[in-house]
Amino acid sequence: MRIDNVELRRLKMPLVTPFRTSFGLQTVRDVLLVVATTTDGVTGYGECVALADPVYSEEYVDGAERVIARYLAPAVLAAGAVTAADVAPLTSAFVGQRMAKAAVEMAVLDAQLRTVGMNLAEFLGGVRATVEVGVSVGITDTVAALVEAVRSYLDEGYRRIKLKIQPGFDLLPVTAVRDAFGPDILLQVDANTAYRAGDLDRLTRLDEYDLLLLEQPFDHDDLELHAELAQRMRTPICLDESLTSAKTTATAIRAGACEIANIKAGRVGGYLEARRMHDVAAALDVPVWCGGMLETGIGRAANLALAALPGFTLPGDISGSARYYREDITAPFVPVGGSMAVPTGPGIGVEVDEERVAALTTSRQVIR
Ligand code: SMG
Ligand code: MG
């Protein structure tokens, strides 16, 4: 397979509800799609998970677009015959840029699988037709508003709730949600690196609430502090921002800093590395789950395929389209009884609504 051209499209998609994390408030998803077309005329889609600003990691969407246009796409286009497995070695001279690389690899992989009529979940080694999903609930102005938000998600059938926390919005909201909905709901929290060493004692008090896990309380490069907290807490410590590859995952697990792993293909450079990360975690007996980056239906389809792998034993941040967007750019994903069907079509398994994409597009460029 040869790639004839790579189109980069930027889309603006308003979020149904503004999403507040310890990083700040997000009201719009600034989407970057990578569309790879082969010389045989087959089109593959990739979605870049970089946010508008470099707050979750160093990458941001304007930068990712520039990196793909200037470095990654030309490397793939110049290579001649390629498969998805070639993308990482072809672009390894460029340091980091994992979200940009992941988007390019995903587009090539989708085109490759569509060419041969194979489904992504099947290709990755998925073992289930449906996966349990949860919802990530942002920080709210009041605890009462949070309880109402959680109530509406539970009414929609979600059985696992993740609360975003930060210093000043942690013990109280968690207590309120436990008091309102009892001990049976699956509850976990995510701090997105908002805490410091002086918060160890306060965080330890979260042990009272029977949480599934506590996600990324400290800086991405502070394995030592995560390991110390893991020693002191009964609640499992889960890492997200810290895990940038299968290798750093193994290091974090061996350091005692990571008892559960959040896997996001974009954060680790693509679905192929995400599968290796899954394999490493399984070998070291660490459960994994699929994280989310407010993806459109394109990224969501691929995440469902990844979450079909055997080690994904915890519900992922893969909510229904309606949690994010009034209108998605694929047929809407709808959870049923807290689970979602893994797409079964060729490639990522779903068709992209090109008219809808065109209507939302703010800019495009084609690299040949
Ligand atoms: O896609 O449902 C989703 C969002 C899940 O909370 C979510 N993602 O740290 O896990 C995380 C965050 C990263 C994005 S913050 C804007
Ligand atoms: Mg997280």
Side-chain angles (χ1 to χ4, degrees):
M1 179 182 89
R2 297 172 84 96
I3 306 299
D4 177 72
N5 69 82
V6 174
E7 183 184 337
L8 301 179
R9 271 186 187 266
R10 294 286 290 275
L11 277 56
K12 276 224 181 324
M13 294 178 65
L15 293 173
V16 168
T17 27
F19 189 47
R20 184 180 291 284
T21 66
S22 58
F23 300 136
L25 182 73
Q26 197 178 339
T27 57
V28 170
R29 186 70 174 105
D30 195 337
V31 178
L32 168 61
L33 295 184
V34 179
V35 190
T37 303
T38 70
T39 49
D40 294 330
V42 178
T43 292
Y45 283 91
E47 176 171 350
C48 183
V49 302
L51 302 176
D53 302 311
V55 289
Y56 169 86
S57 72
E58 303 91 328
E59 289 185 84
Y60 62 105
V61 68
D62 287 343
E65 181 178 3
R66 182 86 182 116
V67 164
I68 295 171
R70 178 157 177 187
Y71 301 104
L72 310 183
V76 172
L77 288 165
V82 289
T83 66
D86 297 317
V87 173
L90 282 170
T91 57
S92 64
F94 310 115
V95 179
Q97 320 296 336
R98 286 177 293 272
M99 292 175 175
K101 289 174 180 174
V104 172
E105 185 198 87
M106 181 180 168
V108 173
L109 182 55
D110 186 36
Q112 172 186 334
L113 295 177
R114 285 180 197 267
T115 299
V116 297
M118 184 185 252
N119 169 259
L120 178 61
E122 191 190 333
F123 170 82
L124 292 173
V127 294
R128 47 179 89 86
T130 62
V131 302
E132 289 199 344
V133 297
V135 61
S136 173
V137 188
I139 292 166
T140 46
D141 289 339
T142 64
V143 168
L146 181 71
V147 169
E148 282 327 297
V150 170
R151 188 188 310 283
S152 72
Y153 289 127
L154 292 172
D155 288 346
E156 286 176 49
Y158 291 107
R159 282 183 306 227
R160 191 230 63 181
I161 299 291
K162 163 165 133 178
L163 304 179
K164 290 291 190 179
I165 60 167
Q166 65 182 15
F169 191 86
D170 43 29
L171 298 174
L172 231 56
V174 172
T175 310
V177 169
R178 267 288 178 240
D179 285 352
F181 306 108
D184 290 340
I185 63 161
L186 302 177
L187 190 62
Q188 63 193 55
V189 294
D190 184 2
N192 288 113
T193 74
Y195 291 85
R196 299 293 170 257
D199 299 314
L200 278 164
D201 286 338
R202 183 171 182 87
L203 286 168
T204 305
R205 290 170 60 193
L206 286 167
D207 263 346
E208 284 165 46
Y209 302 97
D210 259 315
L211 302 175
L212 276 178
L213 57 91
L214 161 56
E215 184 177 346
Q216 197 74 45
F218 305 120
D219 271 349
H220 71 99
D221 59 357
D222 207 337
L223 291 186
E224 226 173 283
L225 203 51
H226 283 105
E228 185 177 345
L229 186 62
Q231 280 287 328
R232 289 171 56 162
M233 286 188 82
R234 187 166 58 83
T235 307
I237 303 304
C238 169
L239 294 183
D240 173 358
E241 284 88 333
S242 298
L243 308 177
T244 53
S245 64
K247 188 173 166 194
T248 56
T249 300
T251 304
I253 293 171
R254 292 212 182 91
C258 177
E259 299 165 294
I260 295 180
N262 169 324
I263 301 189
K264 291 176 183 167
R267 198 191 60 228
V268 301
Y271 284 87
L272 302 182
E273 182 69 6
R275 179 172 56 181
R276 286 189 284 271
M277 178 176 168
H278 159 275
D279 296 348
V280 159
L284 296 172
D285 261 331
V286 164
V288 303
W289 55 284
C290 184
M293 293 294 286
L294 308 165
E295 287 90 347
T296 71
I298 294 176
R300 191 170 324 291
N303 283 345
L304 285 166
L306 181 66
L309 292 178
F312 285 80
T313 51
L314 291 164
D317 278 345
I318 316 175
S319 313
S321 296
R323 142 79 182 87
Y324 311 94
Y325 306 110
R326 210 164 301 286
E327 245 187 294
D328 210 333
I329 54 176
T330 60
F333 284 89
V334 182
V336 178
S339 290
M340 214 128 70
V342 178
T344 54
I348 59 168
V350 294
E351 293 310 317
V352 176
D353 183 340
E354 281 166 22
E355 262 175 46
R356 175 96 188 114
V357 169
L360 294 165
T361 296
T362 53
S363 71
R364 60 184 285 265
Q365 59 173 317
V366 180
I367 302 116
R368 293 187 187 277

